[in-house]
Amino acid sequence: MPRIVPPEERQFALVLALLATEQGLTKEQILSTVDGYHQKYTPNGDNANLERQFERDKDALRELGVPLETVDAPGQPGNNQLQSYRVSKGDYELPADITFTPTELSLLQLAGTVWREGSLSGDMRRAMIKLRAAGVEPDGPMLGYAPRLKQLEPAFGPLTQAIERREAVRFPYLRPGRTVARTHTIKPLALFQFRGRWLFMGLDYADHKLTFLLSRIVGDVTFTREQFVPPPGDHSAEALRELEQLWQRNTATVAVEPGSDAAIRLGRRYGATPAEGRLLIVHYSDLALLADELAGYGPEVTVIEPEHLKLAVVSRLEATEWAHREGGAA
């Protein structure tokens, strides 16, 4: 039975493979060699599910700020099968104006020693061998590119078990704008990733379908020992379809400072389109999450519309200012 590769390991393996070559890798090379894909790859067979997984991983990496590029084959523009994918080392390296003290450099060198032994071990080394056999020679060392991928939320493991065991679970969930978490008892149906974040869908006791963001689960997921029979259907596909429709409908217009971190990251956001001057149009499925992200950029970004997003960002900035005042007064 093939080893089950967690999503964050698969995505990290994909980043390492794409950093290893300037010319890029085709989809077939990725699916047949990279850890997390090759275990499920069927040569000359139906790999549609695996290709959809790759598309979701690409979106997730771009949401995390990884500069993943698509390059058309010469004379074959738009041919998905011949397109190659790569990660620009220059865009992924630290900016030139960032410096470190001697102590910091010593710590980084120590970490690099550990990283050197782990970044290209096991399955990744075998993937590099496969790529060489396919005529793709890695360009230079892979050292110095530490993982930037998010770790899985603690709720991921218990929810995966609950779905497999068809058992209801109980957990505290904190919705945006509230200070007290509410306890939910849910029959989990599907665990899935959308735009770089993990969610799950389940049924409450009235059999209403609800979707939850794993990062908002603020305590332990406990098993109730109550078994249930899930309704038929592809629940992950259904939830992803609904979220995609919501994401397509919701747009925001923001102004960004040219050359700033906000301009770079929001400009690379999936589906972002430039408008007049410094304006960008971005899509979102969760207003609170977008407000959190935009507030983190500080003065580098200004919300033009919608008004409720602008108010949400302002409230977060005011809360931050108040917290700093309180801390200073103490």
Side-chain angles (χ1 to χ4, degrees), residues 264-285:
I264 295 171
R265 289 186 176 274
L266 292 174
R268 290 177 179 158
R269 188 185 180 94
Y270 182 76
T273 54
E276 182 180 355
R278 300 183 297 123
L279 301 184
L280 275 177
I281 298 175
V282 296
H283 292 261
Y284 64 94
S285 57

Side-chain angles (χ1 to χ4, degrees), residues 53-268:
Q53 186 177 71
F54 172 60
E55 294 298 322
R56 291 194 294 270
D57 285 344
K58 285 196 303 178
D59 293 345
L61 291 176
R62 285 168 173 151
E63 285 289 319
L64 292 171
V66 177
L68 194 154
E69 302 174 350
T70 302
V71 181
D72 283 328
Q76 297 284 339
N79 188 328
N80 293 335
Q81 299 305 314
L82 297 181
Q83 283 177 337
S84 60
Y85 303 89
R86 67 185 180 190
V87 172
S88 169
K89 294 181 181 180
D91 290 340
Y92 203 53
E93 291 173 335
L94 289 174
D97 58 348
I98 292 181
T99 59
F100 298 99
T101 66
T103 300
E104 290 171 334
L105 284 173
S106 297
L107 291 172
L108 287 171
Q109 287 170 352
L110 177 61
T113 302
V114 178
W115 179 242
R116 184 179 302 113
E117 298 303 320
S119 63
L120 282 178
S121 61
D123 289 320
M124 183 52 64
R125 291 185 188 275
R126 288 190 286 273
M128 291 296 108
I129 292 172
K130 288 184 180 180
L131 288 174
R132 287 191 177 99
V136 179
E137 185 64 30
D139 295 309
M142 299 289 293
L143 309 181
Y145 297 95
R148 301 182 184 180
L149 306 184
K150 299 177 182 176
Q151 294 294 317
L152 289 176
E153 286 84 358
F156 185 91
L159 288 172
T160 300
Q161 295 178 38
I163 292 172
E164 293 173 351
R165 289 155 49 173
R166 300 182 176 183
E167 180 177 347
V169 292
R170 189 175 292 114
F171 55 87
Y173 192 76
L174 186 62
R175 294 190 178 277
R178 296 184 180 178
T179 57
V180 178
R182 175 186 172 188
T183 299
H184 291 265
T185 301
I186 298 293
K187 307 168 189 174
L189 299 177
L191 191 61
F192 55 94
Q193 194 178 55
F194 182 75
R195 304 288 181 241
R197 295 183 173 88
W198 282 98
L199 304 96
F200 84 98
M201 184 178 70
L203 302 174
D204 63 12
Y205 276 117
D207 282 342
H208 295 140
K209 288 183 178 179
L210 301 174
T211 301
F212 301 88
L213 193 67
L214 264 63
S215 62
R216 290 177 182 156
I217 296 177
V218 293
D220 293 337
V221 176
T222 57
F223 298 95
T224 64
R225 297 186 179 180
E226 177 186 343
Q227 306 295 127
F228 70 97
V229 178
D234 187 338
H235 304 294
S236 294
E238 176 188 345
L240 285 169
R241 186 165 52 249
E242 292 175 356
L243 282 171
E244 182 68 28
Q245 292 170 353
L246 181 64
W247 183 86
Q248 291 286 355
R249 288 198 304 268
N250 292 337
T251 60
T253 303
V254 298
V256 294
E257 289 297 319
S260 65
D261 187 47
I264 295 171
R265 289 186 176 274
L266 292 174
R268 290 177 179 158

